Amino acid sequence: MTVALMWEARAVPGRGEELLAWARVQESAVRPLRREVFRAPEDRVLVITWWDAAYDAELPELPEPDGELATRAVHRWRFESVDTWPGPV
């Protein structure tokens, strides 16, 4: 099964590039199958990692950034893959 972990944070206004740089250098002891980092308006940063694991497996999560860097607690979601592309439309 493939599990995707999503991590999203919003930087203090004007510190989006710093939050993005911080997220890019975060590493875990175990490498995911895939990792992507995104940015969005309002200084938001999203990191998605894909794992070959059970939905409820213990997986490494990105930590909370320094309280001076983020405006709120990180949002986290976990999803399991149900379809692959290409598939029926």
Side-chain angles (χ1 to χ4, degrees), residues 1-88:
M1 167 185 302
T2 302
V3 175
L5 301 183
M6 295 178 63
W7 176 100
E8 186 264 341
R10 186 171 179 185
V12 169
R15 296 187 69 187
E17 288 300 319
E18 189 176 345
L19 178 61
L20 179 61
W22 179 90
R24 284 178 159 165
V25 299
Q26 299 305 303
E27 293 189 23
S28 65
V30 181
R31 291 182 56 91
L33 296 172
R34 181 174 165 192
R35 174 183 160 143
E36 287 191 60
V37 181
F38 301 85
R39 69 171 146 203
E42 301 178 350
D43 293 322
R44 290 178 292 143
V45 174
L46 172 69
V47 179
I48 305 173
T49 55
W50 285 262
W51 303 87
D52 182 17
Y55 183 82
D56 58 354
E58 189 163 324
L59 297 169
E61 297 263 2
L62 279 137
E64 294 278 335
D66 177 24
E68 301 291 318
L69 189 56
T71 60
R72 56 167 168 72
V74 167
H75 292 187
R76 300 170 195 273
W77 302 275
R78 184 176 286 221
F79 296 90
E80 65 180 318
S81 177
V82 294
D83 288 317
T84 59
W85 184 262

